[in-house]
């Protein structure tokens, strides 16, 4: 199962801890790192069993599940930049007066009001989530949508893609791992670019020449592909363009 599918199908408890347990391993929901059960893993001159080590991985690689989630696109979290800032300060353990002083807004009572609004948002989210779970049991006509990848940017109508649509688009534009034509529509481009991203190595840093070589084997206008992959949050790079890597 693709990482995005694992992430969005995880339970609330699994999302909170940042990993899922499979038969033979623990899998990080944020990057797909798989830690095999029954193995002992070294870290800072100590040895750890798999479940403890996956928690160490999350802390060392992602800081925390909270830090990862708060950094996601606002269309995926439903939070404004201001709300993200407030939640970050609350997560750091700051009291209302400390938050008010750091943000330089209103008074401590203003911050308490913000806390109330966030709690209201939590109640609404729980109610909506429950209704959607109940709906799954009744709505037999609902199409299967392709999950939005966690690193997506500018989440909008382009991401409204069903599994059937994805299969048709790939059949039309991709043949034997190569792109036959660059799609004219945004939604089609997203599907194709996500498929291309699967051919990039994870946990590998490419220099510009190496990446261009990989993309050129997929489509002749590799510069166009590279630019769109960055735009869609599938690829990241250093500001000087000297190094590139697939985003997780």
């Amino acid at each position: 199962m693709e990482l995005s599918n694992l992430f969005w199908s995880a339970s609330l408890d699994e999302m909170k801890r940042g990993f899922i347990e499979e038969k033979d391993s623990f899998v990080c929901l944020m990057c797909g790192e798989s830690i095999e059960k029954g193995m002992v893993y070294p870290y800072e001159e100590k040895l750890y069993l798999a479940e403890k080590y996956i928690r160490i991985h999350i802390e060392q690689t992602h800081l925390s599940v909270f830090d990862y989630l708060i950094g996601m696109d606002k269309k995926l979290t439903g939070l404004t930049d201001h709300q993200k800032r407030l939640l970050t300060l609350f997560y750091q353990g700051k009291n209302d007066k400390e938050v008010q002083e750091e943000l330089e807004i209103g008074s401590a009572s203003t911050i308490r009001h913000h806390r109330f609004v966030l709690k209201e948002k939590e109640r609404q989210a729980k109610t909506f989530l429950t209704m959607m779970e109940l709906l799954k049991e009744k709505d037999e006509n609902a199409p299967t949508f392709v999950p939005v990848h966690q690193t997506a940017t500018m989440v909008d109508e382009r991401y409204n893609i069903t599994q059937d649509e994805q299969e048709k688009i790939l059949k039309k534009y991709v043949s034997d791992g190569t792109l036959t034509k660059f799609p004219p529509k945004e939604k089609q481009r997203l599907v194709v670019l996500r498929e291309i991203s699967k051919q990039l190595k994870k946990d590998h840093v490419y220099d510009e020449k190496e990446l261009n070589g990989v993309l050129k084997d997929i489509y002749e206008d590799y510069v166009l592909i590279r630019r769109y992959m960055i735009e869609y949050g599938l690829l990241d790079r250093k500001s000087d363009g000297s190094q590139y890597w697939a985003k997780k």
Side-chain angles (χ1 to χ4, degrees):
M1 186 181 292
E2 287 187 17
L3 181 57
S4 290
N5 287 320
L6 287 176
F7 184 87
W8 294 116
S9 62
S11 68
L12 179 58
D13 285 339
E14 289 170 335
M15 293 275 275
K16 284 171 62 179
R17 70 188 187 186
F19 66 89
I20 61 170
E21 180 176 359
E22 297 190 325
K23 181 180 179 181
D24 300 314
S25 62
F26 296 99
V27 181
C28 176
L29 288 171
M30 293 165 279
C31 69
E33 181 75 16
S34 180
I35 306 300
E36 186 179 348
K37 291 181 179 178
M39 300 288 288
V40 177
Y41 298 85
Y43 177 72
E44 292 187 347
E45 301 182 352
K46 292 183 179 181
L47 299 175
Y48 297 92
L49 295 177
E51 184 169 356
K52 176 62 177 178
Y53 189 72
I54 190 70
R55 297 179 189 276
I56 292 174
H57 159 78
I58 290 172
E59 181 179 334
Q60 294 300 311
T61 307
H62 309 291
L63 297 182
S64 72
V65 176
F66 179 90
D67 286 293
Y68 181 85
L69 295 177
I70 207 73
M72 292 174 69
D73 187 273
K74 65 178 64 178
K75 286 289 186 71
L76 299 179
T77 63
L79 299 168
T80 65
D81 291 337
H82 181 62
Q83 288 172 328
K84 284 186 175 185
R85 183 63 177 145
L86 284 166
L87 284 170
T88 298
L89 294 173
F90 295 151
Y91 185 76
Q92 292 171 356
K94 297 184 183 295
N95 61 37
D96 292 353
K97 183 171 178 56
E98 290 171 330
V99 172
Q100 180 265 323
E101 290 175 347
E102 182 153 347
L103 295 181
E104 298 180 339
I105 57 172
S107 62
S109 61
T110 302
I111 304 304
R112 285 195 295 275
H113 172 71
H114 285 303
R115 285 185 185 274
F116 175 81
V117 171
L118 288 168
K119 290 298 292 184
E120 188 69 14
K121 191 175 184 69
E122 179 190 18
R123 289 189 286 270
Q124 292 169 348
K126 285 182 177 179
T127 302
F128 181 70
L129 182 59
T130 302
M131 288 191 293
M132 289 302 292
E133 286 296 313
L134 292 169
L135 179 60
K136 288 179 185 178
E137 301 172 7
K138 298 291 184 180
D139 190 4
E140 298 178 353
N141 300 310
T144 302
F145 289 95
V146 177
V148 178
H149 54 281
Q150 301 102 288
T151 57
T153 58
M154 300 179 292
V155 180
D156 52 27
E157 185 63 23
R158 291 175 292 186
Y159 290 83
N160 178 12
I161 306 167
T162 67
Q163 292 283 2
D164 288 342
E165 284 180 305
Q166 176 174 260
E167 291 174 7
K168 291 177 181 178
I169 292 169
L170 290 177
K171 185 176 181 180
K172 182 176 181 179
Y173 292 101
V174 179
S175 176
D176 296 326
T178 62
L179 186 59
T180 56
K181 177 184 177 182
F182 192 67
K185 297 181 179 180
E186 292 284 345
K187 182 182 292 189
Q188 297 169 333
R189 292 173 183 174
L190 174 59
V191 170
V192 166
L193 291 168
R194 285 176 53 147
E195 187 68 17
I196 290 174
S197 71
K198 295 177 184 178
Q199 299 190 42
L200 297 181
K201 300 175 186 176
K202 304 302 180 184
D203 299 314
H204 180 76
V205 177
Y206 294 85
D207 61 31
E208 185 174 12
K209 183 178 179 181
E210 182 185 14
L211 178 65
N212 290 346
V214 172
L215 296 181
K216 193 172 183 179
D217 287 339
I218 298 172
Y219 187 63
E220 57 184 1
D221 193 348
Y222 56 87
V223 176
L224 178 70
I225 298 298
R226 191 181 67 203
R227 176 166 61 84
Y228 271 102
M229 289 184 74
I230 292 172
E231 178 181 329
Y232 281 101
L234 297 165
L235 187 68
D236 207 348
R237 65 172 181 172
K238 280 192 171 182
S239 57
D240 61 2
S242 62
Q243 294 183 326
Y244 297 80
W245 56 91
K247 295 183 73 172
K248 298 179 180 179

